[in-house]
Amino acid sequence: MRTVFLLIGQMFFIPHGILFLLSSNKAVIVRDLYARKTIKSSTITQLYDLTKELLLSKYFRTLFYYRTPGLISKVLRIFYPKQDSFTIDVHTKIGAGLQLAHPYATILNATSIGTDVYVNHLVTLGEKEGKKPIIGNNVQLHAGCIVIGGVTIGDHAIIGAGAVVVKDVPEYAVAVGNPAKLI
């Protein structure tokens, strides 16, 4: 019975599927969709998985609307709203494969975020004195961490839960604490 209700719900997201097919960011959306899974090559399977994820996750829906700017996307937001507690600044450049682990109360306001970045809940990437952070590739941002100002987080770095980062973090480093220290 659950499967029947799921399929009926997915039908409401057919306009999103059409927007996906027409999008110039299709490859990036696919990388986001399968950030934690193996990418399926069939377009039909991708559409099925996309509509299911859009139905079940307002967080992913927020990311989808970020990836598909334009009038059609804005109209769809009226009927199928994004998650209010997950904010992505329109000027932030985000690479493909963003992994969202229930990013409740998360703000992504950075100059750029690399590919295959993991974001947990209560993460804040914020501006200070007009400067925004730069996040490298394969970075992990754990629960409640704050990265603020014009700092750079190197590739493969891990920012621990509750860390407050106000200085650069090199590649492959682990930063924890308030203020963050490298371990």
Side-chain angles (χ1 to χ4, degrees), residues 5-6 18 36 41-42 54 65 72-73 77 83 86 90 93 96 104 111 118 124-126 130 143 163-164 179-180:
F5 285 123
L6 188 63
I18 294 168
R36 297 185 195 199
S41 61
S42 164
L54 289 168
Y65 290 143
I72 296 171
S73 181
R77 288 179 212 184
Q83 179 64 37
F86 175 43
V90 295
K93 295 178 181 118
Y104 175 78
T111 299
Y118 170 87
T124 300
L125 303 179
V164 178

Side-chain angles (χ1 to χ4, degrees), residues 140-182:
Q140 295 179 28
L141 302 168
H142 290 276
C145 76
I146 298 170
V147 181
I148 191 163
V151 300
T152 300
I153 307 299
D155 294 345
H156 304 280
I158 298 172
I159 309 302
V164 178
V165 180
V166 293
K167 295 181 181 176
D168 290 351
V169 176
E171 292 182 348
Y172 295 97
V174 177
V176 297
N178 179 3
K181 292 183 170 67
L182 301 180

Side-chain angles (χ1 to χ4, degrees), residues 64-108:
F64 178 80
Y65 290 143
Y66 168 82
R67 300 282 193 204
T68 57
L71 180 63
I72 296 171
S73 181
K74 288 180 181 177
V75 170
L76 289 173
R77 288 179 212 184
I78 295 168
F79 301 104
Y80 310 99
K82 58 186 185 173
Q83 179 64 37
D84 292 334
S85 69
F86 175 43
T87 306
I88 303 173
D89 182 74
V90 295
H91 302 299
T92 300
K93 295 178 181 118
I94 301 176
L98 186 65
Q99 300 173 41
L100 303 174
H102 58 86
Y104 175 78
T106 292
I107 299 170
L108 302 180

Side-chain angles (χ1 to χ4, degrees), residues 106-145:
T106 292
I107 299 170
L108 302 180
N109 182 15
T111 299
S112 65
I113 298 172
T115 59
D116 302 316
V117 171
Y118 170 87
V119 177
N120 211 311
H121 61 284
L122 300 169
V123 169
T124 300
L125 303 179
E127 181 177 345
K128 181 179 179 187
E129 297 173 358
K131 296 179 181 175
K132 299 178 182 182
I134 297 172
I135 310 299
N137 300 320
N138 298 305
V139 171
Q140 295 179 28
L141 302 168
H142 290 276
C145 76

